[in-house]
Amino acid sequence: MARYRFHAMNGSDFVFDAVGKDIRAPGRVTRWAESVAQDLMGRLDGETDWSTWYVSVHDLSGRRVLVQPFVPPHGDALPRGASRRSQPAPQMTA
């Protein structure tokens, strides 16, 4: 079992996950990221443009393992070129 942190952001606003979540199977990380996004969209009444928001998932060493775009409620369209699919984090090189 590994612990991951699920941070939500849009480039200017940031919701930091200081506690994280223990996940047994790595395949469940994407589902939990989707759950985090749905929860945040439900709690933030004033935010309507979810197309720029995403969940950035990090392991406890700080390595980003997944970038999960928010899926806007009510089937709102994403900007041209955007994808609803999860994307693995880009590999960082020194």
Side-chain angles (χ1 to χ4, degrees):
M1 183 174 335
R3 180 170 290 264
Y4 298 93
R5 292 194 172 109
F6 296 80
H7 309 301
M9 58 198 75
N10 72 351
S12 61
D13 296 312
F14 189 85
V15 179
F16 182 74
D17 176 10
V19 177
K21 171 82 174 155
D22 289 329
I23 306 284
R24 274 189 207 275
R28 294 183 180 164
V29 171
T30 299
R31 283 188 285 183
W32 190 257
E34 291 169 353
S35 175
V36 167
Q38 293 297 320
D39 180 63
L40 190 58
M41 286 188 284
R43 288 189 291 136
L44 292 179
D45 296 334
E47 180 65 49
T48 57
D49 182 13
W50 295 107
S51 64
T52 60
W53 281 82
Y54 59 94
V55 178
S56 183
V57 183
H58 299 256
D59 63 16
L60 289 185
S61 71
R63 184 178 64 95
R64 188 167 59 181
V65 297
L66 178 75
V67 175
Q68 173 67 46
F70 276 35
V71 176
H74 311 296
D76 295 343
L78 292 173
R80 172 172 256 148
S83 171
R84 293 185 193 275
R85 295 184 355 179
S86 300
Q87 300 175 6
Q91 298 299 315
M92 304 297 277
T93 56

